[in-house]
Amino acid sequence: MNSLVNIIRKGGNKKLGSIYKGDYQGTFIPTWMTCVEQNQLERVEISNCLGLFFAVKDAGELDSVKRAAILSNKVMKHGFVQEMENIIDNDLKITHDALSTKVDGIISDTSLIGLKIAGDFTDSCYQPIIQSGGKYDIKVSASSNQDNLSPDVIICSLGARYKGYCANISRTFMVDAPTKVEKTYGTLLACLECMIPGNELKDVVEGAKTFLKKKDPTLLTFLPKNLGFAIGLEFRDGSLVLNNVNTTKFAVGMVFNLAVGFHNVPLTTEDKEKSPEVIQRLEVFSMLIADVVAVQKEGLPEVLTKLSKEFGDVSYSISNENEGAEDADDDDVEVVGETDADGNEVRRSSRAKDEKLASESAAQKRQLRQKELMEKKLAEARRRMGLNGGLAVGVDDLDNAMEAKDLVTYRSAAEFPKDLNTNKLK
């Protein structure tokens, strides 16, 4: 240690860059710090400088972050969303914590959603956070509780690592959303225009507040104090937080978790009028949208977690009010003729039904088009071969279309015609 101190002194400087914050296990660092103090070296905290250096990703690091973002996106879409829809459609009872554990298992074993990724490459950044039923905490330190998933306003946040690099995604899903919930969701702002090289990190929060003052000032109270943070090998870089005081400037290659939301927005009786019973029980609701974004040299940042945030893609209609059945719109819900454990009819969300019908219709159209193209190609082939006077051959009759006399076979190469051009088709 004395040798290190002598080397520092030979440089003509008594300042020593330090990242030694907090308490440490063992004796090495405390002993070194005592040595530094005894030799009257001035310690300068450089953790922020190192954080700024590591915040800019090179091509290899950015590739790993993108893969982590894709994995997070896939787990949200094919893991959580499918589980949530199954629970809601079949009126199943499962706690937020149990569902969180199930989703976390998908990150550890991606084969559950059809992905083939080595288990050594992937890991969870944290236990997925699932919330509903009027109890919300949109901080990254939140956790899933033991309440059952409720078909109202549902928030899911999850993060996956790929080769050590982190990504994060949050989405809000709404079931039978009243007008205020839908309107508030539409107000969730995009702050990407502020995240360009040269702008300061605090510009994101200031831009958000300016937007809300014009759009809906009543929501300012429910906006979080920070709207995200830099992300990479560390899930959260505490020195690069998107708050209203951080004057650090955006640089090309920086990657952030941009998280915009509203916390505990009140719902009045008037707001819930004509809503189903589960919505009537809500006193407040929260919303959160989080994406991983990479700062670009020109233009807006690239959004790496691409799962849709459009209201039509995250909202569901499954209301079944027995009291007002005569006023119900049967087009919104499908009765499938099944019953649950209590003998009630099982009803499916109209969005799931419409998507299924649209998918089946598209598949039928593709099959018909492919059959037409095949018949056209067969007709052209037979015309060139002079078969059946050029009449078209149906796909269904293909097995009987060719005649043996049209084919000539040879026992060996010696029997090939002398004027044959090899590797040529006629």
Side-chain angles (χ1 to χ4, degrees), residues 7-294:
I7 292 173
I8 295 170
R9 289 187 179 280
K10 285 181 181 179
N13 197 334
K14 291 187 176 182
K15 293 184 178 181
L16 176 66
S18 172
I19 57 173
Y20 305 121
K21 281 186 176 181
D23 299 325
Y24 299 90
Q25 297 180 352
T27 60
F28 179 79
I29 292 180
T31 302
W32 166 247
M33 299 308 293
T34 300
C35 180
V36 169
E37 291 175 359
Q38 290 175 346
N39 286 275
Q40 298 181 340
L41 296 178
E42 181 184 353
R43 288 188 296 149
V44 179
E45 182 59 49
I46 61 171
S47 58
N48 289 348
C49 296
L50 289 177
L52 192 61
F53 173 77
F54 287 116
V56 177
K57 308 294 187 291
D58 62 27
E61 291 177 304
L62 192 57
D63 180 70
S64 292
V65 173
K66 287 182 176 180
R67 291 176 184 272
I70 292 172
L71 175 57
S72 301
N73 197 82
K74 295 288 187 182
V75 173
M76 177 70 80
K77 181 177 181 179
H78 302 293
F80 172 74
V81 172
Q82 289 191 7
E83 288 290 340
M84 177 192 68
E85 290 179 346
N86 181 58
I87 292 168
I88 294 173
D89 278 346
N90 294 288
D91 196 25
L92 303 178
K93 304 299 181 185
I94 183 171
T95 66
H96 298 127
D97 184 61
L99 181 55
S100 170
T101 300
K102 193 169 187 178
V103 174
D104 189 57
I106 295 174
I107 299 177
S108 302
D109 183 5
T110 57
S111 65
L112 295 173
I113 55 173
L115 297 180
K116 295 181 179 179
I117 305 176
D120 295 341
F121 288 170
T122 64
D123 193 12
S124 294
C125 298
Y126 57 90
Q127 185 81 6
I129 306 168
I130 301 170
Q131 305 172 75
S132 67
K135 298 179 182 179
Y136 304 100
D137 182 355
I138 59 176
K139 296 178 182 178
V140 293
S141 57
S143 60
S144 305
N145 61 29
Q146 293 293 328
D147 294 343
N148 286 331
L149 185 75
S150 178
D152 41 50
V153 179
I154 303 168
I155 300 177
C156 177
S157 299
L158 61 88
R161 293 179 186 268
Y162 180 81
K163 292 185 176 180
Y165 284 85
C166 302
N168 187 62
I169 184 172
S170 299
R171 289 293 183 268
T172 301
F173 302 91
M174 291 147 285
V175 182
D176 294 325
T179 302
K180 182 173 181 178
V181 172
E182 181 177 351
K183 182 180 177 181
T184 303
Y185 186 82
T187 311
L188 269 182
L189 48 147
C191 306
L192 295 179
E193 62 272 11
C194 300
M195 302 180 71
I196 58 177
N199 279 7
E200 296 179 345
L201 269 60
K202 68 177 185 179
D203 292 341
V204 174
V205 174
E206 292 176 355
K209 290 181 177 179
T210 300
F211 176 87
L212 282 181
K213 287 177 182 177
K214 295 179 180 178
K215 188 78 172 179
D216 189 348
T218 62
L219 292 172
L220 277 169
T221 308
F222 311 106
L223 187 71
K225 292 182 178 180
N226 73 71
L227 300 180
F229 43 81
I231 193 170
L233 283 172
E234 293 290 335
F235 177 71
R236 182 182 185 273
D237 188 330
S239 65
L240 294 174
V241 177
L242 301 176
N243 56 30
N244 61 353
V245 296
N246 200 327
T247 57
T248 304
K249 294 185 177 181
F250 288 105
V252 178
M254 284 184 171
V255 179
F256 286 86
N257 171 55
L258 176 63
V260 185
F262 299 118
H263 184 238
N264 284 350
V265 181
L267 269 176
T268 65
T269 302
E270 290 75 18
D271 295 330
K272 298 179 286 185
E273 188 177 1
K274 296 183 180 180
S275 295
E277 182 181 354
V278 67
I279 299 296
Q280 295 286 349
R281 292 195 294 264
L282 283 182
E283 298 296 331
V284 296
F285 68 93
S286 296
M287 294 181 165
L288 180 64
I289 294 176
D291 287 296
V292 174
V293 300

Side-chain angles (χ1 to χ4, degrees), residues 88-90 175-176 276 316-322 324-325 327-338 344-354 357:
I88 294 173
D89 278 346
N90 294 288
V175 182
D176 294 325
Y316 301 81
S317 177
I318 60 170
S319 59
N320 180 16
E321 302 178 64
N322 294 328
D327 298 324
D329 185 353
D330 291 336
D331 292 335
D332 289 339
V333 187
E334 177 190 11
V335 181
V336 296
E338 301 173 7
N344 298 318
E345 288 179 316
V346 176
R347 300 170 75 85
R348 306 295 191 210
S349 66
S350 60
R351 187 167 82 90
K353 174 188 175 183
D354 293 342
L357 292 176

Side-chain angles (χ1 to χ4, degrees), residues 308-375:
S308 176
K309 301 178 284 286
E310 295 296 324
F311 181 80
D313 295 325
V314 295
S315 61
Y316 301 81
S317 177
I318 60 170
S319 59
N320 180 16
E321 302 178 64
N322 294 328
E323 299 85 355
E326 66 276 5
D327 298 324
D329 185 353
D330 291 336
D331 292 335
D332 289 339
V333 187
E334 177 190 11
V335 181
V336 296
E338 301 173 7
T339 57
D340 59 19
D342 299 323
N344 298 318
E345 288 179 316
V346 176
R347 300 170 75 85
R348 306 295 191 210
S349 66
S350 60
R351 187 167 82 90
K353 174 188 175 183
D354 293 342
E355 288 179 349
K356 181 179 179 181
L357 292 176
S359 177
E360 291 176 350
S361 177
Q364 291 174 352
K365 290 180 179 180
R366 284 195 300 271
Q367 291 176 355
L368 180 60
R369 178 60 177 162
Q370 289 169 355
K371 184 174 180 179
E372 291 174 349
L373 289 174
M374 180 62 73
E375 289 179 341

